[in-house]
Amino acid sequence: MRSFALTLLLAAAVPASAANLVTNGTFSGGNSGFTSGYTYVAPTFNSMYPEATYTIGTDASAVHDQWEAVKGVGGSGNFMIVNGATNGGADVWRSGAIAVDADTKYFFEAFATNLCCNAGRTGAGSLLTFRVVGDVTGTTDLATFSTEDSAVGVWKGLSTQWNSGANTSAQLFLVNASTDFF
């Protein structure tokens, strides 16, 4: 079962205290401000069956009987809880259009963790690719990272920069390439 959890941030590289440009990137607003190729389910016990579903919640064990009691980054708050698909390529998460300034560096940061399975096993992670699609330059893969070797419940960070070039609008995507499950 390739399950994972997620929080996201995109901010202008200057200044360091710049606001998050991703609408509801911390999922504090629940299931809003983004779309997904996966199916949304309400966060109730065992609602995360079958694969290719997601919910927004505060505890992974509350929605799947095989998942650990994983909490949000910092130990609290909502996060996106995902039961990976057995067919790769669907957008797990995608932002709406984000206005950006041309020729500006932007900082992208995301956190993901392994959710599965009870007894603290590793090896049930996902292969996540974050990409940006600009209104002028097209698609750029920002970074790919895996939660496969991550301990369950240990949030793994990814950060990178993206230069907007001639773009004045961008859209962010998260794709899970992993189709394996055990």
Side-chain angles (χ1 to χ4, degrees):
M1 198 168 307
R2 301 292 178 178
S3 56
F4 58 95
L6 178 71
T7 63
L8 306 148
L9 164 80
L10 176 72
V14 184
S17 61
N20 188 352
L21 300 177
V22 175
T23 300
N24 197 23
T26 62
F27 303 102
S28 60
N31 186 38
S32 65
F34 66 95
T35 57
S36 178
Y38 284 39
T39 302
Y40 174 77
V41 295
T44 59
F45 187 68
N46 279 342
S47 61
M48 294 298 295
Y49 288 100
E51 289 79 21
T53 56
Y54 79 93
T55 195
I56 307 301
T58 59
D59 182 345
S61 67
V63 295
H64 198 293
D65 61 357
Q66 295 295 308
W67 294 348
E68 294 287 337
V70 173
K71 306 291 186 194
V73 175
S76 65
N78 280 348
F79 56 96
M80 185 177 197
I81 303 168
V82 181
N83 192 349
T86 56
N87 59 335
D91 298 330
V92 176
W93 174 92
R94 59 185 166 263
S95 72
I98 300 170
V100 296
D101 294 326
D103 298 314
T104 302
K105 283 185 182 177
Y106 287 87
F107 175 76
F108 177 80
E109 185 173 41
F111 294 90
T113 187
N114 219 343
L115 298 175
C116 187
C117 284
N118 294 328
R121 289 193 301 209
T122 60
S126 300
L127 181 61
L128 306 171
T129 299
F130 292 94
R131 61 182 49 120
V132 62
V133 177
D135 60 337
V136 175
T137 59
T139 301
T140 302
D141 284 353
L142 294 175
T144 298
F145 75 118
S146 173
T147 62
E148 180 141 357
D149 295 326
S150 300
V152 174
V154 176
W155 288 90
K156 184 176 182 177
L158 162 101
S159 62
T160 190
Q161 289 188 10
W162 171 71
N163 190 304
S164 59
N167 296 296
T168 57
S169 178
Q171 188 174 17
L172 297 171
F173 294 80
L174 168 70
V175 177
N176 182 14
S178 178
T179 59
D180 297 337
F181 65 97
F182 65 96

